[in-house]
Amino acid sequence: MQEKNNKVIDKENNDKKPFVLSDKWKAVILAFVLVAFFVIVIFSPAFSVKEINIQDSEYYTEEELLESFSQFKGKNGNILLINNTKFSQASGIFNRHLTVVEEQMLFDYPLIKNINIKYSAPGTINVTLSDRKPVMMVDYFGTFLYVDTQGYVLAVNSDGIDNNLPIVQGIDIDTYKVGT
């Protein structure tokens, strides 16, 4: 034993307590680790959009539709989900749907009836769609308008009659635009 400043120190029997974190500090550290992990995953370049798969459309070419998605190539898919989902449709984030883009595509491409745009990790956007289908032809001054069940004009035919569709006459149409 040694004596130092009137204190006796026993080197062999040193009663030091081990350092123990309180539950509060454990929770703070765990929260920090989880937030750091979440941020790394969200911003990781591994989730960049590399591929866009588009189902065929009867009215639009794949190239036409791909132009609408060119802005997403190379961008992080998780960020796209956050930026392209409305708060009122928050379930879209969990379903991986780009709901804002879906609405914009329906507006830009009126001959598409339904569209489903889904981000699949780690870097693919899958687009499935259904086109509007003509159910009748409307005689418009010798030109025939292909019309669907909701009244959308899908196409114009001045060459002749499609025998598979009924012809409706007597509807007063001032003007029309394909897709409306």
Side-chain angles (χ1 to χ4, degrees):
M1 282 198 233
Q2 294 179 347
E3 191 173 316
K4 184 176 182 185
N5 295 339
N6 297 329
K7 292 184 181 177
V8 176
I9 300 173
D10 186 1
K11 287 186 179 179
E12 292 176 10
N13 193 10
N14 195 356
D15 292 331
K16 286 187 177 182
K17 292 183 181 178
F19 179 72
V20 177
L21 286 175
S22 69
D23 289 341
K24 189 185 290 185
W25 279 106
K26 287 179 185 176
V28 167
I29 291 171
L30 179 63
F32 177 77
V33 169
L34 289 175
V35 167
F37 176 76
F38 183 70
V39 167
I40 288 170
V41 167
I42 282 190
F43 293 106
S44 172
F47 294 98
S48 296
V49 175
K50 298 168 193 72
E51 185 178 355
I52 299 170
N53 300 320
I54 298 180
Q55 177 185 344
D56 290 337
S57 169
E58 186 176 329
Y59 302 108
Y60 303 106
T61 65
E62 185 177 355
E63 290 76 26
E64 282 178 294
L65 296 172
L66 274 173
E67 285 179 27
S68 297
F69 293 96
S70 61
Q71 63 186 339
F72 300 134
K73 280 270 191 169
K75 294 200 175 166
N76 186 295
N78 295 317
I79 302 295
L80 289 174
L81 279 172
I82 292 167
N83 291 338
N84 289 289
T85 303
K86 293 181 178 178
F87 287 114
S88 63
Q89 299 168 331
S91 65
I93 290 177
F94 301 110
N95 294 331
R96 319 288 289 165
H97 286 274
L98 300 169
T99 54
V100 172
V101 180
E102 289 173 350
E103 290 175 5
Q104 186 62 46
M105 290 289 291
L106 288 173
F107 180 78
D108 292 342
Y109 299 92
L111 300 179
I112 295 174
K113 185 174 185 176
N114 295 309
I115 190 162
N116 183 345
I117 303 170
K118 192 170 184 178
Y119 171 71
S120 300
T124 303
I125 292 178
N126 293 307
V127 181
T128 56
L129 55 90
S130 62
D131 291 318
R132 296 182 177 279
K133 303 289 184 210
V135 294
M136 66 180 150
M137 296 176 72
V138 175
D139 186 0
Y140 181 74
F141 299 108
T143 301
F144 294 95
L145 310 177
Y146 289 86
V147 180
D148 77 346
T149 57
Q150 296 175 322
Y152 281 79
V153 176
L154 306 179
V156 178
N157 183 357
S158 57
D159 297 334
I161 298 172
D162 183 346
N163 291 328
N164 297 325
L165 297 174
I167 298 173
V168 177
Q169 295 178 331
I171 297 177
D172 188 23
I173 300 174
D174 293 334
T175 185
Y176 70 90
K177 181 180 173 188
V178 174
T180 59

